[in-house]
């Protein structure tokens, strides 16, 4: 009796991370491997909606990966992965982010591609393996693509994401624009959350040249719901930055309709953020026209700015 | 007028590294990109033979990559790459080794697969792109596969390497066993070299938990040519270990016909090597039955042993 391999996405799981874990486990099982989809934490409302919509069981909660074999999807950095990953055997990685700090002793499959979602790469992997994509899986993959690319509107969107979305929408027979709007509505349900839930629900931690930086993002069609309670939000950000000893905690409140972001900031190292993003914070707030993607329009700039700062 | 992108393999280039750089540059040029094949140093006799055999120009020598855009093939570690890579923009990586320490700020294509040669992955990339493999390129890719897998005999060899070699041999219309033996003969031309050229001609440097470890390999059908001058070889290894401040310098003298290796050792940290390889050195020599692959049968064991040592 051997242990299964877990496919797991990043902390604070989002729709692309959960759908990619489910889809890749499905593909690997079709190929005869004992692979189980897993998650690091609770689902957000959008992802819960997706899982219900396509009638799949939610992945198992994996508290600690120490001693396990794991496949990482939708991330490749220790600061974003499951607890215990340092003592797990990482056997594969499928991702679409910057190349992070994970090293292995053996050669493994690591497929990182600069496309809009991990689900886009998984669609390709089904094709590469000559496996038919089951309807349920097609629904999940479509959801991952539409969620991560803001219905193909984010600047991270590529032709391959468009082609995959069109094809998956055909398989499941839905209008992807209409279905995408349903997803956005779910994603925008921020009003019911506490400030702490809001700022941490889509949150990533980075190690920039030895400094810990937290970057949260709230994607919504109603930014005013967040910005109207700005004092409470900033107070929560201060608490989190202090608790976790962050150099800086940046929160992007992204307006999905106007396609821009308002940034809020906490922590001592505001200057490299201003330099990196070429902006000035007034009362800890800055407007970032055209910024929709944390990954593409914020992370590289901050990494460079923090690197230059310490050099 | 824009600068070209350089495709470059590891230091102490071998046949897979050079052929992969040539083949990938060809594919990218077919696709309209301004990409130039490059190398970090002189060709070994086997690779020179291959380049002559298929009538291609040798890649340009790139002394310093600082400020350039580079695609890395056949390696993904700073300790093995071109000088100045820390200050270059790494735009893609195609490899078949363990995952190393390279990080990027932007998402890039990083395709690492656990197969016997980078040339095997490149064969796949031509197929993925629906590009016909030109005869010359097929000859180079076949050479990369046969060289890195010791004519499909190394334990790193996979079904995909076999399938690719068979298909490429069809394209160029050669008997791959016969051609492979020609390559082995070239690879074995160690007798004409100085001890220093011998121990450094196929050499890789690793950072294991902060300790610098050099691992050289001489693959030959006549190990006696090396072992008969063991004193001179060990003296050279001592010099190199001292010059470069290595914790250990391990040299594998691999018998391509018997499919085993004799290891020689220099530097202070012999104990973790003995632990890792489960062997004992007598007069700085140990016999390693069945060991042919540095990558698969030596590097992971030493990495673990040096990690446990420092923990």
């Amino acid at each position: 009796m051997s242990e299964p391999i877990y496919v797991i996405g990043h902390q604070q799981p989002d729709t692309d991370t959960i759908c990619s874990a489910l889809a890749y486990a499905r593909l690997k099982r079709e190929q005869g491997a004992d692979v189980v989809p897993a998650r690091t934490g609770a689902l957000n409302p959008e992802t819960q909606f997706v899982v219900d919509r396509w009638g799949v069981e939610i992945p198992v909660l994996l508290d600690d990966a120490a001693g396990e074999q794991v496949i990482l999807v939708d991330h490749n950095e220790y600061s974003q992965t499951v607890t215990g990953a340092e003592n797990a055997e990482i056997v594969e990685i499928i991702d679409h982010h910057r190349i992070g700090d994970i090293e292995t002793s053996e050669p493994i499959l690591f497929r990182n591609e600069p496309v809009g979602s991990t689900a886009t790469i998984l669609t390709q992997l089904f094709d590469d393996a000559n496996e038919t994509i089951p309807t349920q899986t097609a629904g999940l993959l479509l959801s991952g693509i539409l969620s991560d690319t803001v219905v193909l509107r984010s600047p991270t969107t590529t032709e391959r994401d468009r082609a995959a979305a069109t094809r998956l929408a055909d398989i499941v027979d839905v209008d992807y624009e209409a279905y995408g709007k349903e997803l956005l509505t779910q994603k925008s349900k921020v009003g019911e959350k506490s400030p702490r839930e809001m700022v941490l629900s889509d949150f990533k931690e980075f190690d920039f040249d030895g400094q810990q930086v937290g970057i949260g993002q709230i994607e919504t069609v109603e930014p005013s719901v967040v910005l109207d309670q700005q004092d409470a939000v900033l107070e929560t950000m201060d608490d989190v930055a202090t608790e976790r000893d962050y150099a800086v905690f940046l929160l992007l409140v992204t307006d999905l309709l106007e396609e821009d972001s308002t940034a809020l900031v906490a922590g001592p190292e505001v200057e490299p953020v201003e330099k990196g993003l070429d902006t000035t914070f007034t009362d800890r707030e800055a407007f970032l026209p055209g910024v929709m993607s944390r990954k593409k329009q914020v992370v590289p700039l901050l990494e460079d700015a923090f690197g230059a700062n310490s050099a």
Side-chain angles (χ1 to χ4, degrees), chain A:
Chain A
M1 210 185 73
S2 70
E3 296 286 317
I5 300 170
Y6 295 96
V7 194
I8 195 160
H10 55 72
Q11 287 178 28
Q12 261 83 33
D14 61 11
T15 298
D16 190 33
T17 249
I18 293 291
C19 291
S20 293
L22 287 164
Y24 199 38
R26 177 78 188 240
L27 175 59
K28 298 296 267 189
R29 293 180 78 94
E30 293 288 339
Q31 296 176 327
D34 184 12
V35 170
V36 169
R39 65 190 162 90
T40 56
L43 303 195
N44 68 37
E46 183 199 60
T47 310
Q48 186 64 57
F49 168 83
V50 166
V51 165
D52 293 342
R53 169 71 177 79
W54 300 102
V56 288
E57 269 186 64
I58 68 170
V60 299
L61 185 67
L62 188 64
D63 282 323
D64 191 335
E68 307 288 352
Q69 288 195 308
V70 293
I71 295 170
L72 306 185
V73 290
D74 200 34
H75 72 297
N76 78 99
E77 310 204 23
Y78 281 118
S79 62
Q80 295 169 8
T81 197
V82 57
T83 305
E86 294 83 354
N87 299 309
E89 188 189 351
I90 296 167
V91 296
E92 289 188 23
I93 307 174
I94 314 290
D95 192 18
H96 70 130
H97 293 89
R98 74 186 192 120
I99 307 305
D101 57 358
I102 288 178
E103 299 185 33
T104 64
S105 358
E106 303 260 1
I108 65 166
L109 176 70
F110 184 176
R111 188 150 168 167
N112 197 83
E113 301 188 30
V115 292
S117 75
T118 300
T120 304
I121 306 168
L122 285 170
T123 306
Q124 180 75 50
L125 291 183
F126 270 89
D127 292 348
D128 288 356
N130 284 316
E131 292 281 350
T132 308
I133 304 177
T135 308
Q136 198 181 46
T137 302
L140 295 171
L141 291 172
L142 178 63
S143 308
I145 298 173
L146 295 177
S147 171
D148 246 36
T149 62
V150 194
V151 197
L152 307 175
R153 280 172 183 74
S154 159
T156 58
T157 311
T158 68
E159 275 317 306
R160 289 182 51 201
D161 303 306
R162 278 179 221 290
T166 306
R167 198 179 131 217
L168 295 164
D170 270 355
I171 296 175
V172 296
D173 196 21
V174 302
D175 174 339
Y176 74 70
E177 276 288 345
Y179 177 61
K181 267 180 199 134
E182 281 188 77
L183 291 186
L184 289 192
T185 311
Q186 296 297 326
K187 189 176 267 182
S188 301
K189 283 193 175 167
V190 289
E192 300 150 24
K193 291 183 181 169
S194 71
R196 198 172 180 99
E197 284 169 339
M198 261 198 282
V199 304
L200 291 178
S201 77
D202 176 5
F203 181 79
K204 291 190 178 176
E205 195 176 297
F206 297 87
D207 180 325
F208 292 147
D209 231 41
Q211 297 186 81
Q212 303 308 308
V213 174
I215 311 180
Q217 184 169 28
I218 300 172
E219 296 174 299
T220 174
V221 291
E222 286 177 296
S224 61
V225 173
V226 183
L227 299 174
D228 285 353
Q229 43 184 321
Q230 188 154 339
D231 289 350
V233 168
L234 282 168
E235 205 174 297
T236 306
M237 290 173 64
D238 286 337
D239 291 347
V240 173
T242 306
E243 285 161 25
R244 303 186 181 180
D245 204 21
Y246 284 150
V248 85
F249 178 175
L250 184 73
L251 179 69
L252 304 168
V253 183
T254 301
D255 187 328
L256 294 173
L257 299 180
E258 298 296 328
E259 307 192 358
D260 51 40
S261 294
T262 301
L264 303 178
V265 73
E269 296 293 336
V270 178
E271 204 187 306
V273 179
E274 293 188 317
K275 259 193 200 153
L277 300 181
D278 193 18
T279 189
T280 308
F281 285 89
T282 307
D283 295 332
R284 304 172 57 186
E285 178 186 325
F287 181 68
L288 305 175
V291 169
M292 297 188 78
S293 168
R294 168 172 50 194
K295 181 174 78 171
K296 204 153 176 168
Q297 298 173 292
V298 176
V299 170
L301 299 172
L302 292 199
E303 190 188 24
D304 287 355
F306 275 90
N309 203 35
S310 77

